[in-house]
Structure formats: structure tokens, C-alpha cells
Amino acid sequence: MNPTRTLATARRVLAQLRHDPRTIALLLVVPCLLLVLLKYMFDAQPGTFDRIGPALLGVFPLMVMFLVTSVAMLRERTTGTLERLLTMPLGKLDLLLGYALAFGAVALVQAALASALTIGVLGLDIAGPTWLVFSVAVADGLLGMALGLLVSAFAATEFQAVQFLPAVLLPQLLLCGLFVPREDMAPLLRWISDVLPLSYAVDAMARLTTSAGVQGRTLLDLGVVAVCGLLSLALGAATLRRRTA
């Protein structure tokens, strides 16, 4: 890995995003709009929003980051940009880390906007520290980015990249404990949920809703999400191809 090349890749990706207002709106505005919609869906049941709002504060950015990064990396291959870049002294890890830095910066802004809106404007009741809620939201966004970069290697078209969203994320959404407590699931489903990173993100947010202070289990859950993101990036570097078949 060469830090100079990694930073150059990050600057290039950010420059591309700056000239794409629709993608910026998708990354920054859509999660906030979905949280507002959720708030007013349960306006007559404020306890419901306080229960599921923290989890969805992480889920919505994760899904959006997954979609954008998987399509963006696939476009690099289909347009030949990736092939030209890799003929230069630019390693696969340089490329993926450059993407991670660029979209990581976007994830920070995304999490800051969504957290400020949800906790400040929408009045979400959080017992734990606000900075830890923000950290989990950022980790969720970065996980979505890393998973998107990973699955883009297995798609030949942008349509196929979009198809990975229900295949990769919806099972995690169903088994993460958002709809049914994980301890009430059948043993097989509980075992599956134990190896899915979104389960730990939702557990961390649920614990921050009810527990004041910094809990060791919350930090452990946050660490699991971060490790899964790093592992996805490493697998993405190992499976990245220069071009589509």
C-alpha cells in the first residue's frame, strides 16, 4: 500500500461525487427523509419510534452506502477506468482504501446529519452517550460501504449489483432482532443471526436506548461491526477484477 496513491484515489472519488448532486442527495438526504417519515408514521405511538428509531438510524445509511458503492465500483470496471488505473503503479488495496477513505468521509457527514436530526429535531430518546450513537451510525455506514465494494466484484452489470442488496442485506435486516427478539427465534435462525454483522449493530443501538454510560458489551458490538467492515475490504481486494467478464 502506498499512502500517496491511496489519498490520490480518495481525492478523485470525492471530486467525482462533488459533481454528482443526485448521488450526494441519495447519500445525505434520503436517510434523513426516511427517518422523518418513520417518526411521523408512529407519531401517535412515540414509544415505538424510540424503540426502533436507533436501529434504523444505522440501517438506512448502511443500505444507501451499500447501493452507491457497489454501483460506483462496478462502473469503474465497465467503463475501463479500473483497468487503466491498475496498469499504473496502483495496487488493489490502494484503490479500495482510497474508496474507503472517500466514502468514509461521506459516512461521517451522513451519520452527523442523521444523528443530529433524529436526536435533536425528532426527539429520539437515547439513554447512552450521543457520541457513541454517532460512532455506531458511522460504523454501520462504513460496513455498508465495505460490503458494497466486496459484492461489486461478483456483478457484471449495474442491475446485478442492485440485486445483491436484497440478497445480502435483507436477510440481515430480518434476523437482526429488529422485528423479533433474537432470543425468541428458532435455534437455527439465532445461530445465523449471530454471524451477521447487522445483528451487532442493532444490539449496540438497542443497548444505547436503555442503558446510560458506556457499556463494555456495546463497545464489543461496535468492534465486531468494525472488524467485519475491515474483513470485507480485505476480501474485496482479494476478489477485485480489472474488468467485467
Side-chain angles (χ1 to χ4, degrees), residues 18-191:
R18 190 171 63 249
H19 294 95
D20 190 351
R22 286 176 295 184
T23 299
I24 293 175
L26 179 62
L27 288 168
L28 301 182
V29 179
V30 169
C32 293
L33 291 178
L34 290 174
L35 289 166
V36 171
L37 177 62
L38 183 72
K39 164 67 175 178
Y40 288 103
M41 279 175 57
F42 297 106
D43 196 37
Q45 308 171 45
T48 303
F49 179 69
D50 288 338
R51 179 175 62 84
I52 67 174
L56 293 179
L57 176 60
V59 169
F60 289 155
L62 180 146
M63 297 180 72
V64 172
M65 292 293 286
F66 177 92
L67 178 63
V68 171
T69 51
S70 60
V71 172
M73 179 55 74
L74 180 64
R75 190 173 297 171
E76 296 274 56
R77 292 209 322 270
T78 56
T79 59
T81 301
L82 182 58
E83 187 174 14
R84 291 192 296 272
L85 287 172
L86 293 182
T87 60
M88 304 166 62
L90 177 72
K92 293 180 180 180
L93 192 57
D94 290 322
L95 180 70
L96 287 183
L97 286 180
Y99 261 80
L101 287 175
F103 282 101
V106 175
L108 285 172
V109 178
Q110 183 188 68
L113 289 175
S115 300
L117 172 71
T118 308
I119 298 173
V121 179
L122 301 182
L124 182 67
D125 187 17
I126 294 289
T130 302
W131 68 266
L132 196 50
V133 174
F134 171 75
S135 299
V136 176
V138 171
D140 288 344
L142 293 175
L143 175 64
M145 175 270 301
L147 290 174
L149 292 176
L150 172 61
V151 304
S152 69
F154 303 98
T157 66
E158 292 181 12
F159 180 66
Q160 289 182 6
V162 173
Q163 288 177 315
F164 274 108
L165 191 149
V168 174
L169 295 189
L170 287 189
Q172 297 194 58
L173 185 62
L174 293 174
L175 297 177
C176 68
L178 184 61
F179 301 104
V180 178
R182 294 170 59 207
E183 58 269 18
D184 294 341
M185 294 179 184
L188 177 61
L189 296 182
R190 175 62 189 272
W191 295 336

Side-chain angles (χ1 to χ4, degrees), residues 3-18 98 102:
T4 301
R5 296 166 190 161
T6 300
L7 291 175
T9 301
R11 286 194 297 269
R12 179 180 65 84
V13 174
L14 288 173
Q16 290 175 335
L17 287 175
R18 190 171 63 249

